[in-house]
Amino acid sequence: MDDFVKEKLAEWGLSSLKDIFEQNMIDYESLLLLRGPELKEMIPMVGPRTKLQKNLQRLQQAETELVADTSSVASSISDLDPEDFAAGPSSSSSPAPVPVPPAKRLKTSKMFSVKEVLQTTQDGEDIIEELSQDAPNAKARRKMVQIVVSRLVEVYGDRPSKQAKTELAKTIVKEFPKLKDSIGEGHESYYSPGAKGHSPSGFLESRLRNIRRRSFITPRKDDPTPVQPTPTPVQPPSENDLSDAESTVMVTWLKGNRQPATQVRDFMLKTAPRRLKLLQECQEHGEVLMEYPRLLDTPGMVEQDFEVMYPSKATKLYEMWGSKGRRVLQWAETQGSSWKKYITIPDELTEDQADLAVFHILPYLLPPGFHQSAQGKRTKFSKVEAARAFIDIQPVGTNIPQYLRLLEMDLEANQEKAIRKQPYVLALGDMLSPTQVFLMAERLAIEHDSTIAAIDACFKAFYVLNIEYPPACKNVWRFLQHACYGVEGGEREINPTVRSLITAMKKE
């Protein structure tokens, strides 16, 4: 049994199974290949076996996602061939390392210097110079990761300890301050240890997994369906002094009235704490919406409830976008040109158009998510599908009732892989000058004055209704969550590319 297995058993609260795993010689590879029959034979007791199986399914799912996300980073943000990221360092840097078994790892008390390692390679000086710039490009960063991970494997083996990976990540951002994250301690995009069922993540971990993948055996097709990750719970606000009788009167009145608007807004504000508590506690928000129909069919109510939940975050998107949003364009230019084949941005833009263009570029810059079927099969959404899941652009004059009917038919026919999962934004007309913009939620089209207003309402709807981001464009929403709104939650699940963009946004 290697250190990886020991750490996982301790993390899952199953250290009592250590002797069983030792007797069966379970290491990293065999752990990922364990299935129901083997587990039943090894662990007769139902309690610990069920707990192990649940955590093991999450680990197997995370393993697959991390490998696939690495390929996404390589193919979507650089001009290099997508195979570069998985194929190892180029001949001009250092040869791909041969994986070293855990038992043969060397011990060292001090992490090596990243710059000194780079200087031993042919392109090292150029990489150092590029990574010292204000906006280091992804190509240089990738080469650096390939080289230093090669050295890491030479010293520690292909499964180095958590301490070694953390120390190397800290050394990278210490020697190259421009690579430091603005989230956490600053090194997490290079390595972030796993916790609470999530596997480690980051560029170093992804590179190590690609190295190990060369000898990795593909799991059988009859794998059990992985456990879906649960969203980070949001704490509802405290209930106010509204009595049950007063609440009942207001809820009854709201069901039958849309006017006067000031009365609707006042009653919705007073009943917000109870409504939000219900939405956080119930599994089906549709039942709550039947009690509070004004939440979605009255403009501004979702935004008002969000402000009750997060008083200091309500106007963050408007405060943070503008000049900071345009830094996305600057960052995009450092990531290669592959995104430009999907979307064309005119050279001459007004200030408002430039702000709007950034939103449309995001799905093509950030890795799309995955679809998982009921049988556990995972397939990746395309960037075009991710863009449509975020903002669906339709021609001027689109018949909205007919659009809603077609949407309903699409959802019924493709429940497993519905691209446009509500809520999302619908824009009619030109991408940069739409004539109408809607928030699409619960089979309703709620018109807003601008694209940014609809995006703002859409983001807030996820939190008010307590629903997960759509898989196809989840990284776009996570970026907005952390870079613009500053809402905490899910930090360990942030994709490395998203982390890099967040850091670039926050630089002065």
Side-chain angles (χ1 to χ4, degrees):
M1 181 171 66
D2 57 27
D3 291 340
F4 179 87
V5 178
K6 290 179 182 178
E7 289 177 4
K8 283 299 170 188
L9 289 177
E11 179 184 317
W12 297 338
L14 294 170
S15 296
S16 59
L17 301 178
K18 191 182 299 182
D19 291 342
I20 296 176
F21 275 64
E22 285 277 14
Q23 293 168 7
N24 287 274
M25 302 176 66
I26 303 298
D27 58 8
Y28 171 80
E29 282 88 352
S30 54
L31 177 68
L32 292 176
L33 294 173
L34 284 176
R35 299 296 179 265
E38 295 92 342
L39 290 173
K40 190 172 184 179
E41 182 179 346
M42 285 174 53
I43 311 167
M45 298 297 291
V46 176
R49 183 174 73 242
T50 303
K51 187 176 180 181
L52 174 66
Q53 193 163 16
K54 179 180 178 181
N55 284 287
L56 188 55
Q57 287 172 349
R58 287 176 175 168
L59 175 64
Q60 291 163 342
Q61 178 186 2
E63 176 77 11
T64 304
E65 184 169 5
L66 281 168
V67 170
D69 274 355
T70 303
S71 300
S72 171
V73 171
S75 63
S76 63
I77 62 175
S78 80
D79 288 328
L80 291 179
D81 186 271
E83 293 295 322
D84 288 346
F85 200 49
S90 63
S91 58
S92 61
S93 53
S94 60
V98 177
V100 181
K104 297 182 181 180
R105 293 177 192 162
L106 302 177
K107 303 293 183 181
T108 180
S109 59
K110 184 179 180 181
M111 181 53 59
F112 50 78
S113 166
V114 173
K115 286 186 176 180
E116 288 179 5
V117 171
L118 292 174
Q119 287 169 345
T120 64
T121 66
Q122 182 176 338
D123 297 334
E125 293 294 344
D126 292 336
I127 295 173
I128 292 172
E129 182 179 353
E130 179 58 43
L131 296 182
S132 301
Q133 302 296 318
D134 287 336
N137 67 41
K139 184 176 180 180
R141 185 261 302 153
R142 243 189 339 270
K143 284 186 176 180
M144 178 272 293
V145 169
Q146 292 173 346
I147 294 168
V148 298
V149 169
S150 294
R151 179 59 61 87
L152 183 71
V153 172
E154 290 173 7
V155 177
Y156 291 92
D158 64 349
R159 292 185 185 84
S161 67
K162 177 172 67 175
Q163 180 182 358
K165 291 181 283 189
T166 301
E167 189 62 33
L168 177 55
K170 290 181 177 180
T171 301
I172 289 172
V173 298
K174 181 180 179 181
E175 296 187 20
F176 297 101
K178 302 298 183 182
L179 298 178
K180 189 173 183 179
D181 293 339
S182 57
I183 303 174
E185 297 182 38
H187 65 273
E188 285 83 356
S189 64
Y190 289 88
Y191 179 72
S192 179
K196 297 181 180 179
H198 295 291
S199 288
S201 61
F203 293 123
L204 299 180
E205 185 68 22
S206 296
R207 178 63 186 159
L208 285 164
R209 290 176 186 274
N210 274 329
I211 290 173
R212 294 195 293 262
R213 191 185 184 194
R214 297 171 190 175
S215 59
F216 186 74
I217 302 174
T218 303
R220 297 195 302 264
K221 291 184 178 180
D222 59 347
D223 290 349
T225 302
V227 177
Q228 289 286 357
T230 55
T232 304
V234 178
Q235 293 298 324
S238 301
E239 293 190 47
N240 53 23
D241 297 328
L242 200 65
S243 69
D244 290 341
E246 290 173 320
S247 177
T248 300
V249 170
M250 292 182 183
V251 170
T252 303
W253 186 90
L254 286 167
K255 285 183 180 179
N257 296 276
R258 300 190 186 195
Q259 297 292 336
T262 53
Q263 187 79 358
V264 171
R265 181 175 293 275
D266 180 57
F267 279 7
M268 287 293 288
L269 181 60
K270 289 177 178 177
T271 56
R274 294 187 178 216
R275 177 171 56 257
L276 290 169
K277 183 177 180 180
L278 285 173
L279 285 165
Q280 299 301 314
E281 292 175 348
C282 76
Q283 296 295 319
E284 180 52 60
H285 59 263
E287 297 177 5
V288 180
L289 292 176
M290 289 178 66
E291 285 292 300
Y292 297 94
R294 304 292 82 83
L295 180 61
L296 289 181
D297 68 14
T298 302
M301 294 302 97
V302 168
E303 294 89 326
Q304 180 173 267
D305 274 19
F306 183 85
E307 188 169 5
V308 172
M309 298 175 73
Y310 299 101
S312 64
K313 313 290 186 183
T315 60
K316 284 294 185 180
L317 183 63
Y318 297 94
E319 295 171 11
M320 293 292 294
W321 210 241
S323 61
K324 287 199 173 186
R326 279 166 231 146
R327 289 182 189 172
V328 175
L329 292 172
Q330 299 171 1
W331 182 84
E333 293 299 331
T334 70
Q335 306 304 304
S337 59
S338 62
W339 61 272
K340 294 181 179 178
K341 67 183 180 182
Y342 297 103
I343 185 170
T344 302
I345 303 298
D347 294 331
E348 298 295 329
L349 295 174
T350 66
E351 190 172 291
D352 289 341
Q353 287 176 329
D355 291 344
L356 186 52
V358 177
F359 287 116
H360 290 284
I361 290 173
L362 283 172
Y364 300 110
L365 284 176
L366 302 175
F370 292 84
H371 152 67
Q372 182 168 298
S373 70
Q375 292 74 36
K377 183 179 179 181
R378 290 163 55 81
T379 55
K380 193 169 189 176
F381 287 99
S382 70
K383 289 184 177 294
V384 174
E385 289 174 329
R388 287 187 64 198
F390 181 49
I391 303 176
D392 186 23
I393 301 173
Q394 295 293 327
V396 175
T398 294
N399 185 309
I400 296 299
Q402 183 180 8
Y403 176 90
L404 288 170
R405 286 194 296 272
L406 293 173
L407 176 64
E408 183 69 19
M409 293 171 58
D410 180 58
L411 290 172
E412 290 178 359
N414 302 284
Q415 290 183 1
E416 289 189 351
K417 193 185 177 183
I419 297 171
R420 293 171 294 182
K421 288 194 174 182
Q422 301 177 55
Y424 65 92
V425 175
L426 169 66
L428 305 186
D430 182 73
M431 177 179 70
L432 300 180
S433 303
T435 58
Q436 287 180 289
V437 187
F438 301 87
L439 165 63
M440 307 299 295
E442 292 298 309
R443 301 169 179 81
L444 294 174
I446 305 138
E447 189 166 3
H448 284 73
D449 293 334
S450 65
T451 301
I452 191 170
I455 291 171
D456 182 59
C458 190
F459 175 83
K460 292 171 179 177
F462 290 117
Y463 286 83
V464 171
L465 299 178
N466 190 29
I467 53 181
E468 295 181 356
Y469 299 141
C473 58
K474 65 179 180 179
N475 283 321
V476 176
W477 290 116
R478 282 177 180 166
F479 165 73
L480 294 175
Q481 173 192 339
H482 292 281
C484 298
Y485 290 92
V487 174
E488 295 180 354
E491 282 78 8
R492 291 188 179 276
E493 300 175 26
I494 303 176
N495 181 277
T497 305
V498 177
R499 283 185 180 273
S500 296
L501 180 51
I502 291 171
T503 299
M505 280 275 290
K506 292 187 177 181
K507 288 180 179 178
E508 296 298 333

